[in-house]
Coordinates of all heavy atoms in Angstrom, one line a residue:
K785 N 120.0 -86.4 -78.5 CA 118.8 -86.9 -77.8 C 117.8 -85.7 -77.7 O 116.6 -85.8 -78.0 CB 119.1 -87.5 -76.5 CG 117.9 -88.1 -75.8 CD 118.2 -88.8 -74.5 CE 117.0 -89.4 -73.9 NZ 117.3 -90.1 -72.6
E786 N 118.3 -84.5 -77.2 CA 117.4 -83.3 -77.2 C 116.8 -82.9 -78.4 O 115.7 -82.4 -78.6 CB 118.2 -82.2 -76.6 CG 118.6 -82.3 -75.1 CD 119.6 -81.3 -74.7 OE1 119.8 -80.2 -75.4 OE2 120.2 -81.4 -73.6
L787 N 117.7 -83.0 -79.6 CA 117.2 -82.7 -80.9 C 116.4 -83.8 -81.5 O 115.8 -83.5 -82.6 CB 118.5 -82.5 -81.8 CG 119.3 -81.3 -81.4 CD1 120.6 -81.2 -82.2 CD2 118.5 -80.0 -81.7
G788 N 116.3 -84.9 -81.0 CA 115.5 -86.1 -81.6 C 116.2 -86.6 -82.8 O 115.5 -87.2 -83.7
I789 N 117.5 -86.7 -82.9 CA 118.2 -87.2 -84.0 C 118.9 -88.5 -83.6 O 119.6 -88.6 -82.7 CB 119.3 -86.2 -84.5 CG1 118.7 -84.9 -85.0 CG2 120.2 -86.9 -85.5 CD1 119.7 -83.8 -85.3
P790 N 118.4 -89.6 -84.3 CA 119.0 -90.9 -84.0 C 120.4 -91.0 -84.5 O 120.7 -90.6 -85.6 CB 118.1 -91.9 -84.8 CG 117.6 -91.1 -86.0 CD 117.5 -89.6 -85.5
A791 N 121.3 -91.5 -83.6 CA 122.7 -91.7 -84.0 C 123.4 -92.7 -83.1 O 123.0 -92.9 -82.0 CB 123.4 -90.3 -83.8
K792 N 124.4 -93.3 -83.8 CA 125.3 -94.2 -83.0 C 126.6 -93.3 -82.9 O 127.2 -93.0 -83.8 CB 125.6 -95.4 -83.8 CG 126.6 -96.3 -83.1 CD 126.8 -97.6 -83.9 CE 127.7 -98.5 -83.1 NZ 127.9 -99.8 -83.9
V793 N 126.9 -93.0 -81.6 CA 128.1 -92.2 -81.3 C 129.1 -93.1 -80.6 O 128.8 -93.8 -79.6 CB 127.7 -91.0 -80.3 CG1 128.9 -90.1 -80.1 CG2 126.5 -90.2 -80.9
E794 N 130.3 -93.1 -81.1 CA 131.4 -93.8 -80.5 C 132.6 -92.9 -80.4 O 132.7 -91.9 -81.0 CB 131.9 -95.0 -81.4 CG 130.7 -96.0 -81.7 CD 131.1 -97.2 -82.6 OE1 132.2 -97.0 -83.2 OE2 130.4 -98.1 -82.7
H795 N 133.5 -93.3 -79.5 CA 134.7 -92.5 -79.3 C 136.0 -93.3 -79.7 O 136.0 -94.5 -79.6 CB 134.8 -92.0 -77.9 CG 135.1 -93.1 -76.8 ND1 134.1 -93.9 -76.4 CD2 136.2 -93.6 -76.2 CE1 134.5 -94.7 -75.5 NE2 135.8 -94.6 -75.4
T796 N 137.0 -92.6 -80.2 CA 138.1 -93.2 -80.8 C 139.3 -92.3 -80.8 O 139.2 -91.1 -80.5 CB 137.8 -93.9 -82.1 OG1 138.9 -94.7 -82.5 CG2 137.7 -92.8 -83.2
E797 N 140.4 -92.7 -81.4 CA 141.6 -91.8 -81.6 C 141.7 -91.5 -83.1 O 141.0 -92.0 -83.9 CB 142.9 -92.5 -81.1 CG 143.2 -94.0 -81.4 CD 143.0 -94.5 -82.8 OE1 143.8 -94.1 -83.6 OE2 142.1 -95.3 -82.8
L798 N 142.7 -90.6 -83.4 CA 142.8 -90.0 -84.7 C 142.9 -90.9 -85.8 O 142.2 -90.8 -86.9 CB 143.9 -89.0 -84.7 CG 143.7 -87.8 -83.9 CD1 145.0 -87.1 -83.6 CD2 142.7 -86.8 -84.5
L799 N 143.8 -91.9 -85.7 CA 144.1 -92.7 -86.9 C 142.8 -93.6 -87.3 O 142.6 -93.7 -88.5 CB 145.3 -93.7 -86.7 CG 146.6 -93.0 -86.6 CD1 147.7 -94.0 -86.2 CD2 146.9 -92.3 -88.0
T800 N 142.2 -94.2 -86.3 CA 141.0 -94.9 -86.6 C 139.9 -94.0 -87.2 O 139.2 -94.4 -88.1 CB 140.4 -95.6 -85.2 OG1 141.5 -96.4 -84.8 CG2 139.1 -96.4 -85.6
A801 N 139.7 -92.8 -86.7 CA 138.7 -91.8 -87.2 C 138.9 -91.6 -88.7 O 137.9 -91.6 -89.5 CB 138.8 -90.6 -86.4
K802 N 140.2 -91.4 -89.1 CA 140.4 -91.0 -90.6 C 139.9 -92.1 -91.5 O 139.5 -91.8 -92.6 CB 141.9 -90.9 -90.8 CG 142.4 -89.6 -90.3 CD 143.8 -89.4 -90.7 CE 144.4 -88.1 -90.5 NZ 145.7 -87.9 -90.9
S803 N 139.9 -93.4 -91.1 CA 139.6 -94.5 -92.0 C 138.2 -95.0 -91.7 O 137.8 -96.1 -92.3 CB 140.7 -95.5 -92.0 OG 140.7 -96.1 -90.6
S804 N 137.4 -94.4 -90.8 CA 136.2 -94.9 -90.4 C 135.1 -94.6 -91.5 O 135.3 -93.9 -92.4 CB 135.7 -94.4 -89.1 OG 135.3 -93.0 -89.3
D805 N 133.9 -95.2 -91.2 CA 132.8 -94.9 -92.1 C 131.8 -93.9 -91.4 O 130.6 -93.9 -91.8 CB 132.1 -96.2 -92.5 CG 131.5 -96.9 -91.3 OD1 131.8 -96.6 -90.1 OD2 130.7 -97.9 -91.5
A806 N 132.3 -93.2 -90.5 CA 131.5 -92.2 -89.8 C 131.0 -91.1 -90.7 O 131.7 -90.8 -91.6 CB 132.3 -91.6 -88.7
D807 N 129.8 -90.6 -90.5 CA 129.3 -89.4 -91.1 C 130.0 -88.2 -90.7 O 130.2 -87.2 -91.5 CB 127.8 -89.3 -91.0 CG 127.0 -90.6 -91.5 OD1 127.2 -90.9 -92.7 OD2 126.3 -91.2 -90.7
I808 N 130.2 -88.1 -89.4 CA 130.7 -86.9 -88.8 C 131.7 -87.3 -87.7 O 131.6 -88.2 -87.0 CB 129.5 -86.1 -88.0 CG1 128.5 -85.6 -89.0 CG2 130.1 -84.9 -87.2 CD1 127.2 -84.9 -88.4
I809 N 132.8 -86.4 -87.7 CA 133.8 -86.6 -86.7 C 133.7 -85.3 -85.9 O 133.8 -84.2 -86.3 CB 135.2 -86.8 -87.3 CG1 135.3 -88.0 -88.1 CG2 136.3 -86.7 -86.2 CD1 136.6 -88.3 -88.9
V810 N 133.7 -85.5 -84.5 CA 133.7 -84.4 -83.5 C 135.0 -84.4 -82.8 O 135.4 -85.4 -82.3 CB 132.5 -84.4 -82.6 CG1 132.5 -83.3 -81.6 CG2 131.2 -84.5 -83.3
A811 N 135.7 -83.2 -82.9 CA 137.1 -83.2 -82.3 C 137.3 -81.8 -81.8 O 136.8 -80.8 -82.2 CB 138.1 -83.7 -83.4
S812 N 138.3 -81.8 -80.9 CA 138.8 -80.5 -80.4 C 139.5 -79.8 -81.6 O 140.0 -80.4 -82.5 CB 139.9 -80.7 -79.4 OG 140.6 -79.5 -79.1
V813 N 139.5 -78.5 -81.5 CA 140.1 -77.6 -82.7 C 141.6 -78.0 -82.8 O 142.2 -77.8 -83.9 CB 139.9 -76.1 -82.4 CG1 138.4 -75.7 -82.5 CG2 140.5 -75.7 -81.1

Side-chain angles (χ1 to χ4, degrees):
K785 186 175 181 180
E786 290 171 13
L787 293 171
I789 296 173
K792 180 177 182 183
V793 184
E794 297 178 350
H795 66 281
T796 191
E797 46 43 70
L798 290 164
L799 290 177
T800 301
K802 282 183 165 183
S803 62
S804 75
D805 64 347
D807 299 304
I808 297 174
I809 297 174
V810 179
S812 167
V813 294

